[in-house]
Amino acid sequence: MRTRTVPWNEVVDWYEQLRRKGWQLDSMLQLIRFLASSDYAAGLFAYTSHDVLGLGRVADFGAGDAELRVEFNLVRQVFRFSYSQGENDRTPWSQQCGAADGQRTLEHILQRRLRWFHRGE
């Protein structure tokens, strides 16, 4: 199954609409605005699903195929980053952090853990 990715401006609009509807997504929206305006945007493709942002390295990537999922727990105000290499990956890894550490943690994952980007790229 392929995932339909959308342009970054649509990702930002989606989360802004959810926030206007009362979702407490300020931290998630801040992280998405950062990504959309960063150098990462050109090399990341995204899909949206309420409190989940799916990221891949190619447009319309396969479900769970080298996918980084960014979930935001509205109640606890905690990010959870999880990565699966393929749809049948039985041991995806995950990492959590507080809302204030979302950007720093995501950049560490993109650069060091997944090696999708290098400093200065």
Side-chain angles (χ1 to χ4, degrees):
M1 184 172 145
R2 308 300 291 173
T3 302
R4 185 175 95 62
T5 56
V6 296
W8 281 104
N9 63 325
E10 291 182 28
V11 174
V12 172
D13 289 346
W14 168 259
Y15 285 97
E16 285 177 345
Q17 288 176 25
L18 289 177
R19 191 181 72 177
R20 284 193 294 272
K21 291 179 181 179
W23 290 60
Q24 300 298 312
L25 291 169
D26 290 340
S27 295
M28 181 68 135
L29 184 54
Q30 182 179 356
L31 183 67
I32 289 166
R33 285 180 179 151
F34 160 73
L35 282 173
S37 65
S38 74
D39 291 338
Y40 299 119
L44 290 175
F45 297 87
Y47 72 86
T48 60
S49 177
H50 294 89
D51 58 346
V52 174
L53 174 70
L55 299 171
R57 293 287 285 162
V58 296
D60 302 328
F61 55 90
D65 186 20
E67 176 183 353
L68 177 62
R69 291 173 54 95
V70 181
E71 299 177 57
F72 188 67
N73 184 302
L74 298 171
V75 174
R76 295 178 45 223
Q77 296 288 296
V78 170
F79 283 104
R80 181 172 162 239
F81 302 92
S82 57
Y83 176 75
S84 59
Q85 293 184 31
E87 189 173 6
N88 297 319
D89 187 354
R90 303 258 188 252
T91 57
W93 64 260
S94 67
Q95 181 176 348
Q96 290 191 117
C97 69
D101 294 323
Q103 180 180 329
R104 182 183 57 78
T105 301
L106 177 59
E107 287 194 273
H108 177 82
I109 290 168
L110 293 174
Q111 293 176 14
R112 301 264 174 130
R113 178 80 187 217
L114 299 177
R115 298 178 191 258
W116 284 0
F117 298 91
H118 301 286
R119 291 194 189 273
E121 188 178 336

